[in-house]
Amino acid sequence: SWRNPHVTMDLRRTDDGAANEVWGVESSSANTLLRIGIEQGVVAVGDHVTLTGALSRHGLPAMAAFVITLEDGTDLPIWPRPAMRLGYEVKPAPISTVAAEISRSEARGIFRVWSRPDLKGLFLQSDHLPFTLAALTAQEAWNPLEEDPVLDCIPRGMPSVMNSPFPVEFVDQRNTIVMRLEEYDVVRTIHLESMPSTSTRFRMPVGHSVGYWERNTLVVTTTRISDKFFDDGGTPQGETAEIVERFTLSEDGTRLDYESIHTDPFTFTEPARQTGYWDWIPGEQIRPYDCEAR
């Protein structure tokens, strides 16, 4: 099943006397594999392959596959980040010269497609997240196999949706800025003019965002968030959560630095800070995500 959020396949084992034992296999997303030049036709039903990865911690006939070795001996990193940790080389697929030139001619300030600088680790970093006891208790009780909404293709809301390995795009619409996030085809609207009080507005997963410019920095405040999770690890989020984001464009226009400050007395004992950045790769585009549920 060549899909987002994760490519899956079944493997029938024929070695070690395990004939007819079928294993469930999960790897990275279809969009990620396309960006490193791996397409669906690389493997077909009936192929003999070897998979390298992590076995199920529950003793099930299942695994997360990091590398697939084809019959001709070719190794393909079908889960790039862990494959790199194992020493496999991962390179992005070439971007057409025409697409890159069009991107250069259309880029204006923050308004372009921004990409992850590499395939290593999470986008957001934090030296310290001061979780409350209630938040830590909820993390311990979290069962991602049953409770993670993305398994049913329910998109993450703010702020979790920002911790994504996929590109984002800013689109200028004068009084508003539309932020398109490739993961789960999420769209955020940032209002640049004063809005009626958000206290009477219904809650949304991405909340209500109001922004303004400080020179080359877009400052965005988001409230009225309905997503009950702060992250993808089961950390709860309170109804009064407020997020202040700063998107700062570098002088040469090739990097966009990101900072978010989270104020939420239910989740944190004090305001929490996360940082990250995107690079500009001319010609990169937002691809359809078209998530398929498990």
Side-chain angles (χ1 to χ4, degrees):
S1 181
W2 201 264
R3 64 180 185 180
N4 296 308
H6 292 278
V7 170
T8 61
M9 65 186 81
D10 289 336
L11 176 73
R12 185 181 301 279
R13 289 186 60 199
T14 57
D15 60 336
D16 300 330
N20 296 322
E21 181 180 65
V22 178
W23 280 57
V25 179
E26 182 177 0
S27 68
S28 189
S29 68
N31 283 18
T32 294
L33 296 185
L34 283 173
R35 286 194 166 92
I36 60 174
I38 300 177
E39 300 186 16
Q40 182 172 7
V42 74
V43 64
V45 174
D47 286 356
H48 291 260
V49 300
T50 300
L51 296 170
T52 303
L55 303 183
S56 166
R57 288 175 291 184
H58 301 281
L60 302 173
M63 69 181 297
F66 306 154
V67 177
I68 186 170
T69 303
L70 306 180
E71 287 188 80
D72 64 3
T74 300
D75 291 325
L76 298 176
I78 57 174
W79 208 320
R81 283 181 287 173
M84 285 190 287
R85 290 197 292 269
L86 293 177
Y88 290 89
E89 185 178 21
V90 179
K91 293 183 178 180
I95 294 176
S96 79
T97 303
V98 173
E101 287 303 316
I102 292 174
S103 177
R104 290 188 181 94
S105 67
E106 295 179 348
R108 182 174 59 84
I110 198 176
F111 302 110
R112 62 186 83 181
V113 174
W114 296 95
S115 302
R116 286 290 308 280
D118 55 42
L119 293 168
K120 301 175 183 177
L122 296 173
F123 168 64
L124 294 179
Q125 304 295 324
S126 178
D127 295 332
H128 173 59
L129 292 176
F131 292 121
T132 62
L133 179 59
L136 293 172
T137 301
Q139 291 173 357
E140 288 294 322
W142 168 250
N143 184 345
L145 296 179
E146 297 180 1
E147 300 178 70
D148 193 342
V150 302
L151 295 176
D152 296 316
C153 288
I154 299 173
R156 302 191 192 280
M158 284 292 292
S160 180
V161 71
M162 295 301 296
N163 199 10
S164 165
F166 298 98
V168 301
E169 181 182 20
F170 292 86
V171 181
D172 184 6
Q173 295 192 342
R174 299 187 64 181
N175 296 331
T176 61
I177 294 174
V178 170
M179 186 179 184
R180 300 175 59 215
L181 297 95
E182 179 171 300
E183 189 170 45
Y184 298 99
D185 304 303
V186 171
V187 176
R188 292 179 60 190
T189 299
I190 301 168
H191 298 266
L192 297 181
E193 293 189 345
S194 59
M195 297 172 57
S197 174
T198 58
S199 62
T200 59
R201 293 177 176 269
F202 61 87
R203 298 179 183 277
M204 300 191 302
V206 295
H208 292 273
S209 298
V210 179
Y212 64 92
W213 290 99
E214 287 183 353
R215 298 183 61 189
N216 62 336
T217 297
L218 175 64
V219 182
V220 180
T221 299
T222 301
T223 56
R224 303 291 290 172
I225 303 167
S226 64
D227 195 321
K228 62 181 181 179
F229 294 116
F230 166 76
D231 55 21
D232 62 355
T235 305
Q237 180 168 236
E239 292 186 354
T240 62
E242 178 180 285
I243 304 167
V244 178
E245 302 166 284
R246 301 177 72 87
F247 303 85
T248 302
L249 183 67
S250 66
E251 291 296 331
D252 62 2
T254 62
R255 170 169 162 150
L256 187 65
D257 285 293
Y258 178 77
E259 176 192 62
S260 60
I261 304 294
H262 307 261
T263 303
D264 181 355
F266 181 79
T267 304
F268 301 109
T269 59
E270 60 186 82
R273 178 175 180 265
Q274 293 183 299
T275 60
Y277 71 93
W278 294 276
D279 281 338
W280 180 43
I281 301 176
E284 183 62 277
Q285 299 177 355
I286 299 292
R287 299 175 183 268
Y289 197 74
D290 296 334
C291 180
E292 292 184 27
R294 56 184 170 179

